[in-house]
């Protein structure tokens, strides 16, 4: 088809939108692909809708190839199923809630696990019905605290979400693998670089979970990878736990006066001055830092927890959220400290409830947990729970124990990968897909069971698989542009070719009409800039901004029977005989 | 493509859903097309999604042919623009309202006039940009008081909504006509019978307005048509006003004692007993009935209005709503009467504020309006505003006047069409489309202006054009079925052909595979019932329920090289040689 720019609903803008924080947002608005309606809420203009449809078509084809059937659920869903799985509460402020005229509670679904589970429960009853994979491409809602970066994090966004249903673990593994393979093909076809990382199960519950991250400096996720195959989201990274050391023969702990040493750095300095170590000086790694965190539980109660970790490590609140899920985690506030006079800020040590290092103010009554590196037999300089005092040579497993071990320490460049594949590197990425073994959590909660071969009712095991369609589009735009504008990969470009008629010569317009039609005849979708009174400079600028990869410039050369092929990506312009345009473009085609 | 039933996500149900009030709902659920999620909210299963997609595709093609460009707006929109146009309030309880985590108000859009207007305002500035028609196919929300009848009146439903933008009235007429023509083509292609009726502008404001109604006894709209071309929604019907009669020489009005005559019928009986008329007896048409209505205005105030109309007519509250728009209208309650002792129930006459027929209790202070048939010079038997008294020979224009003329009387079979095309018949219909000249209402409210040829800013004039996609699907189902199930028209059928392998004979399944593949090769989308252990009876029943119009039964005849073609609509079965299946089906194809 030929779409003529003279009456196409497309307006490019000269100015960057004032609220655009990232390139994709800036260019998609300027080039007339999307238009903001509210924070994190966008309208799709005709040319934008074309790209979105192309991405969705690729996803549909690969879902069909993976044996998944397409369905379509409403965005508006009743509260009850989400109440049963606890997500009505767990989602917190991120859930758009509303009620109807009769006062019944509804939500705008952020994902559809509950609805899919209930649908299958409704219709299926036998192991013979399984495996089943069903998916939809649908608009979802999440009331983000800071909707930003255009389509990269919207409050209304399009997702492909698929769900698999099996009655054996092996079946789930196979369904999971089929979706995972489909994701690889989808991202390859979209030209989207990706890293598959181990992910945390998060609020969804479940077991095996991997994210497809697109490595990009604007990414919100930090992930780690080793040179030999390990990759994980930092939330999912697990520490290599050192072996315990012998306790016997270690010197006794000594409490020392250490006035004005409220920080690790001041403590290290004082330690090296007061009690220098043979060989090498004390470092932060020899101190045990005790960080007070405040957890907010689902029922709204607030609990303080002290985390003990090597003094050269910081708490990563995202990792702490995972460790303490589903509670929300933040650093304890001044108010929290005020309520617990036993907590002597700057001098906190392993919990006095262990009865070993008592502060003058008595018991704090607070849970005390340790970083996995603090194994039995390690000896530490740490707070004595008394203002101006620290204890030296406090040995884990001898002088103190803990209420548990949790992973809250930030992952660092060079930390060892848990699979033994060597040190890891840190990188930033943006989640573009997520495959997830939910297991039996939702089926259990909502009562989805089938009869197995022996006529016994068994609970179904599920997987959940998501791709952010609008986010993928933004990431493609993010990675395919230059200072002039967008440069779409061929298979998601809004048009297959872009024909420009320059000048005012009637013969040029006739020749350009001919080129556009010849391309249409060869099955091309053509955007044809036939605007009669627009200067070549403006037309070239618009073509560059819009970013169709193959451009044909029809101008004065028509008199000599030639036009120019302009490759948007390389910038290269080549003169070719008019009659060869179709053939030349077809030869360059990669899809 | 061949879709195999053995692993297709489709389950037919033996029982009708308990909440199904209409045939389409019952059959679409039983045949596995849709599934209820909440009142008026449905999920689309794979086979249902296919039909929906086909309808949308037909609409897209005709929109493109009409020069309309496709866009896609969010369902979630901010309050402000709807506040400016007053629809935030006007929509009342039918609007789903919600707020985000910051407390900002949002709505789930019932239609998108505001958003489209603002988009065009954003991007366009010159008459040269116009005309413009843009559309979307999108899920909309209306919190219906009584969601019922399945997809015929849902709370979440899919609509095609288009909007046109012009700067002259003639331009709007042309854009309107283009959409109207497209609608005719769409409904013809969908095989949907329709009547185009004049419609009331309703809460949308604006001028010319027509509805496409599908005539059906289950329709919610009543419309009228004459045998000679007139058609209108009853809300839009206008009465042929009789000519005024001479007042001179009419006898004076006489007040009579008429105890126990609170109804028109008792009044007619008493009149014929007390004061019989020469020639023919009094009938209800000789009495003037005075009905008290209660209006609720937008600002929440309640106002009583008395409507005087011939005693053989009833007030139609829907027509009254139009007459008194945007107020809501209901019959006055006992409480209303209690507040106005001047209103003597059963004996109300033309308003005493006119000073002619005063009740003993003094002024009622209530607005009095008349039906257009009560022209000057007509003489009436009516209430005297005194318990047990009526007045005879009260003449309009002599003894009483009114505060206005309003159309509230119900339209009756045989009423004269306003265009002189003769008496009208009443029929019921279901709205499937609406074309609407909004005029400048929205552009004015939201400040959408363009520069005209003379460099002068002029307000844009708009049209709004809607088709209920999911409703159209339900109406097609409603009109295409029999006691066995659905019978889809070819061009919206979920599949082009349905192949059934019967029995357990390996040769039959091989032959059926071959037939399915041969049809696929000819470009057919095939649903193939290859289930190995299902009886022919069940397979035939499912095929009838599902309603693909062309069925191929592959069974024992395979030994003789023949299969049966089964026409779902006629029920006819024809034996044909296997090798001729494709050819025979192609010969029958009408699309």
């Amino acid at each position: 088809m030929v779409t003529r720019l003279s009456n196409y609903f497309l307006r490019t803008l000269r100015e960057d939108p004032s609220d655009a924080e990232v390139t994709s947002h800036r260019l998609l608005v300027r080039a007339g692909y999307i238009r903001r309606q509210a924070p994190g809420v966008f309208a799709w203009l005709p040319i934008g809708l074309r790209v979105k449809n192309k991405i969705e078509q690729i996803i549909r084809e690969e879902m069909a190839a993976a044996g998944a059937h397409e369905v379509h659920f409403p965005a508006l869903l009743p509260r009850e199923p989400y109440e049963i799985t606890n997500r009505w509460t767990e989602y917190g402020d991120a859930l758009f809630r509303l009620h109807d005229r009769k006062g019944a509670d509804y939500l705008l679904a952020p994902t559809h696990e509950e609805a899919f589970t209930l649908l299958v429960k409704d219709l299926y009853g036998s192991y013979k019905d399984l495996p089943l994979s069903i998916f939809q491409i649908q608009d979802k809602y999440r009331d983000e605290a800071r909707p930003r970066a255009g389509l990269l994090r919207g409050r209304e966004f399009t997702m492909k979400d698929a769900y698999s249903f099996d009655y054996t673990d092996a079946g789930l593994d196979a369904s999971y693998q089929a979706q995972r393979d489909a994701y690889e093909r989808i991202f390859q076809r979209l030209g989207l670089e990706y890293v598959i990382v181990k992910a945390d199960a998060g609020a969804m519950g479940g077991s095996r979970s991997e994210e497809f991250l697109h490595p990009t400096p604007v990414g919100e996720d930090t992930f780690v990878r080793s040179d030999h195959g390990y990759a994980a989201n930092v939330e999912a990274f697990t520490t290599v736990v050192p072996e315990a050391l012998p306790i016997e023969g270690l010197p006794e702990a000594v409490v020392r006066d250490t006035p004005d040493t409220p920080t690790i750095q001041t403590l290290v300095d004082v330690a090296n001055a007061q009690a220098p170590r043979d060989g090498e000086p004390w470092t932060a790694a020899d101190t045990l830092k005790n960080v007070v965190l405040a957890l907010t539980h689902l029922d709204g109660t607030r609990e303080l927890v002290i985390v003990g970790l090597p003094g050269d490590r910081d708490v990563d609140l995202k990792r702490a959220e995972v460790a303490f899920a589903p509670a929300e985690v933040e650093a304890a506030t001044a108010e929290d400290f005020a309520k617990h006079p036993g907590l002597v800020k700057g001098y906190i040590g392993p919990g006095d409830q262990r009865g070993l290092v008592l502060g003058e103010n008595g018991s704090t009554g607070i849970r005390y947990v340790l970083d996995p590196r603090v194994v039995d037999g390690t000896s530490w300089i740490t707070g004595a729970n008394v203002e101006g005092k620290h204890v030296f040579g406090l040995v884990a497993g001898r002088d103190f124990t803990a209420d548990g071990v949790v992973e809250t320490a930030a992952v660092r460049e060079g930390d060892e990968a848990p699979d033994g594949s060597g040190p890891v590197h840190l990188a930033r990425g943006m989640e573009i897909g997520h495959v997830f073994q939910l297991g039996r959590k939702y089926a259990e909660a909502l009562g989805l069971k089938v009869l197995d071969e022996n006529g016994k009712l068994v609970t179904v095991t599920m997987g959940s698989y998501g791709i952010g369609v609008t986010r993928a589009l933004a990431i493609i735009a993010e990675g395919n542009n230059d200072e002039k504008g967008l440069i779409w990969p061929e298979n998601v470009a809004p048009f297959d070719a872009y024909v420009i008629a320059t000048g005012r010569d009637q013969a040029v317009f006739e020749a350009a009409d001919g080129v556009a039609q010849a391309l249409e005849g060869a099955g091309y979708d053509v955007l044809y800039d036939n605007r009669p009174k627009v200067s070549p400079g403006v037309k070239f600028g618009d073509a560059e901004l819009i970013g169709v990869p193959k451009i044909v410039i029809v101008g004065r050369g028509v008199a000599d029977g030639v036009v120019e092929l302009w490759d948007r990506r390389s910038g290269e312009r080549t003169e070719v005989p008019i009659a060869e345009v179709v053939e030349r473009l077809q030869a360059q085609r990669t899809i």
Side-chain angles (χ1 to χ4, degrees), chain A:
Chain A
M1 220 183 88
V2 178
T3 300
R4 288 170 172 76
L5 211 49
S6 59
N7 63 4
Y8 194 42
F9 185 49
L10 172 67
R11 284 294 175 279
T12 56
L13 309 177
R14 286 195 196 164
E15 305 291 333
D16 285 338
S18 58
D19 62 339
E21 293 179 18
V22 296
T23 306
S24 59
H25 186 193
R26 186 169 60 76
L27 290 176
L28 289 169
V29 170
R30 272 195 57 203
Y33 285 71
I34 58 171
R35 200 80 196 150
R36 180 183 179 277
Q37 301 294 303
V41 180
F42 293 87
W44 290 86
L45 307 193
I47 196 165
L49 200 53
R50 280 178 166 263
V51 179
K52 184 166 179 271
N53 287 342
K54 285 204 171 179
I55 294 174
E56 292 179 358
Q57 184 53 31
I58 287 171
I59 293 175
R60 283 200 168 93
E61 288 168 12
E62 295 301 341
M63 283 296 111
H69 305 284
E70 186 169 1
V71 298
H72 191 84
F73 271 86
L76 182 71
L77 288 176
R79 166 179 178 161
E80 290 70 24
Y82 286 77
E83 185 77 40
I84 293 171
T85 60
N86 212 20
R87 295 212 299 163
W88 175 264
T89 308
E90 271 176 25
Y91 253 102
D93 285 345
L95 196 64
F96 280 109
R97 297 176 181 83
L98 66 162
H99 50 79
D100 71 6
R101 61 162 76 211
K102 289 177 179 157
D105 282 321
Y106 284 82
L107 56 88
L108 297 182
T111 60
H112 278 73
E113 279 76 1
E114 288 82 352
F116 276 77
T117 307
L118 289 174
L119 176 67
V120 174
K121 179 184 177 185
D122 239 14
L123 297 178
Y124 275 15
S126 162
Y127 75 96
K128 291 181 203 156
D129 298 328
L130 304 179
L132 168 71
S133 287
I134 43 183
F135 78 101
Q136 62 177 351
I137 296 180
Q138 198 248 11
D139 291 338
K140 304 227 172 307
Y141 298 85
R142 238 171 258 178
D143 194 0
E144 298 287 348
R146 282 167 297 279
R148 57 174 202 86
L151 300 175
L152 288 174
R153 184 166 286 278
R155 297 200 294 173
E156 177 174 273
F157 53 95
T158 307
M159 255 186 84
K160 186 286 296 181
D161 48 329
Y163 304 87
S164 69
F165 300 85
D166 286 275
Y167 73 108
T168 65
D169 293 344
L172 171 56
D173 283 341
S175 297
Y176 180 91
Q177 194 60 41
Q179 283 285 324
R180 193 179 186 277
D181 292 346
Y183 276 38
E184 297 215 50
R185 290 193 301 270
I186 289 166
F187 295 126
Q188 283 159 14
R189 288 180 65 183
L190 293 178
L192 265 178
E193 191 194 340
Y194 61 90
V195 181
I196 304 177
V197 305
K198 284 189 179 34
D200 165 61
M204 315 280 279
S207 48
R208 190 173 171 202
S209 168
E210 289 169 293
E211 282 173 5
F212 286 72
L213 294 184
H214 174 73
T216 163
V218 302
E220 297 181 322
D221 288 305
T222 306
F223 68 98
V224 295
R225 46 181 164 177
S226 73
D227 291 336
H228 303 287
Y230 177 78
N233 200 313
V234 288
E235 282 89 335
F237 178 86
T238 51
T239 304
V240 178
V241 181
E243 281 194 35
L245 303 173
I247 288 174
E248 226 167 304
L250 289 173
E252 278 207 9
V254 178
V255 176
R256 293 179 183 273
D257 282 325
T258 54
D260 299 325
T261 54
T263 65
I264 294 295
Q265 191 49 54
T266 52
L267 178 60
V268 169
D269 294 345
V270 165
N272 281 318
Q274 280 196 19
R277 175 163 62 172
D278 283 351
E280 47 181 343
W282 300 113
T283 68
D286 300 309
T287 69
L288 183 67
K289 180 195 271 183
N290 294 284
V291 178
V292 188
L293 298 177
L295 315 187
T296 305
H297 294 287
L298 280 186
D299 62 6
T301 57
R302 192 173 176 91
E303 181 201 0
L304 296 192
V305 172
I306 304 174
V307 176
L309 72 170
D312 63 336
R313 296 268 168 185
D314 292 317
V315 167
D316 177 333
L317 281 178
K318 280 190 169 181
R319 280 170 57 78
E321 290 262 8
V322 172
F324 294 111
E328 284 178 36
V329 180
E330 60 177 337
T333 61
E335 205 179 324
D336 291 320
F337 277 96
K339 282 187 188 158
H340 293 275
L343 294 176
V344 188
K345 211 170 174 180
Y347 302 91
I348 298 172
D352 52 11
Q353 67 275 37
R354 298 290 125 211
L356 290 164
V357 184
L358 279 169
E360 286 171 5
N361 298 316
S363 168
T364 60
I366 295 173
R367 183 148 62 113
Y368 185 73
V369 296
L370 280 174
D371 184 76
R373 293 168 189 83
V374 187
V375 292
D376 281 2
T378 52
S379 172
W380 303 92
I381 304 172
T382 189
N385 291 321
V386 177
E387 180 77 32
K389 287 184 194 284
H390 280 90
V391 57
F392 286 59
L394 196 73
V395 173
R398 180 190 74 183
D399 302 328
F400 66 100
T401 57
D403 298 310
V405 173
V406 293
E407 293 263 9
T408 64
V411 183
R412 279 200 312 229
E413 192 80 20
D415 281 350
E416 286 297 320
D419 65 352
S421 64
V424 299
H425 312 290
L426 285 172
R428 295 192 72 79
M430 179 66 83
E431 184 185 334
I432 48 178
H434 196 169
V435 289
F436 201 135
Q437 296 196 356
L438 295 173
R440 297 183 171 78
K441 175 181 162 167
Y442 287 89
E444 195 80 67
L446 297 164
L448 169 56
K449 293 173 197 283
V450 293
L451 290 172
D452 71 6
E453 297 92 331
N454 308 314
K456 217 185 89 190
L457 270 179
V458 294
T459 299
V460 167
T461 181
M462 291 168 55
S464 154
Y465 316 95
I467 290 179
V469 173
T470 42
R471 176 181 282 189
L473 186 150
I475 291 176
I476 294 169
E478 200 68 44
N480 292 277
N481 62 71
D482 61 17
E483 71 285 358
K484 306 279 184 55
L486 295 159
I487 311 169
W488 293 106
E490 240 174 289
N491 48 358
V492 298
F495 294 92
D496 303 318
Y498 193 111
V499 176
I500 301 176
T502 64
R504 301 191 168 210
D505 192 344
Q506 183 64 19
V508 165
F509 279 83
E510 278 168 18
D513 284 357
V515 168
Q517 281 162 30
L519 285 166
E520 179 183 30
Y524 278 63
D525 234 349
V526 181
L527 183 58
Y528 170 26
D529 190 348
N530 66 333
R531 290 176 295 176
K533 289 175 184 172
V534 175
S535 75
V538 169
K539 288 186 174 183
F540 295 160
D542 278 344
E544 288 177 307
L545 182 56
I546 289 167
V548 174
K550 299 297 176 191
I551 304 167
V552 184
I553 306 172
V554 184
R556 258 176 264 163
V558 162
D560 306 319
V562 296
V563 298
E564 277 183 300
L565 295 192
W566 182 13
D567 186 282
R568 172 69 183 93
R569 195 172 290 271
S570 68
E572 201 183 333
R573 293 195 188 193
T574 323
E575 233 173 45
V576 300
I578 279 196
E580 289 178 22
V581 168
V582 174
E583 193 188 324
R584 291 298 265 301
L585 283 182
Q586 278 177 330
Q588 292 174 14
R589 206 151 186 182
T590 59
I591 51 168

